[in-house]
Amino acid sequence: MATINGRDIHKLVVACDAGMGSSVMLASTLRRQLGKTGVTVEHTPVNSIPADADVVVCHSGLAARARTVAPDKPIVPFQVFLGDPAVTRVVKAIQQGTDLHV
């Protein structure tokens, strides 16, 4: 299990697969929630996770692919696009500057 402190997260990537746009909505929600923290939230295809990402959030069905593409990045898989506890943990760690265990 990897640990990253919320203060060390400057770029959060929401990785997706070509789909219905649910991950775009999640990225937009995260931008609003994290707006005052200075964290950049980027939406990108799972096969194109940028090297400068500090943490990657993706649907659990994409987590294995995300780990293959970005093996050195903390990957936070979630089940539900809005209101998932895993995503809430990421937001709280960033806002409060606490450790995120992934």
Side-chain angles (χ1 to χ4, degrees):
M1 179 176 282
T3 300
I4 186 170
N5 188 280
R7 288 183 298 266
D8 297 326
I9 298 173
H10 305 286
K11 185 172 189 176
L12 182 151
V13 171
V14 179
C16 69
D17 204 7
M20 302 301 289
S22 302
S23 56
V24 173
M25 288 189 304
L26 174 59
S28 177
T29 299
L30 288 171
R31 280 187 198 101
R32 280 194 307 274
Q33 291 176 334
L34 299 173
K36 295 180 181 178
T37 65
V39 171
T40 300
V41 177
E42 190 173 298
H43 179 259
T44 184
V46 70
N47 292 331
S48 301
I49 296 169
D52 62 344
D54 294 308
V55 67
V56 178
V57 175
C58 67
H59 190 270
S60 59
L62 300 175
R65 281 173 52 196
R67 285 186 183 101
T68 299
V69 172
D72 59 330
K73 305 296 179 192
I75 307 293
V76 179
F78 62 86
Q79 295 288 326
V80 182
F81 281 94
L82 298 176
D84 192 284
V87 176
T88 301
R89 284 188 305 117
V90 174
V91 171
K92 285 184 179 180
I94 293 169
Q95 289 174 336
Q96 298 172 1
T98 55
D99 286 345
L100 174 65
H101 306 284
V102 294

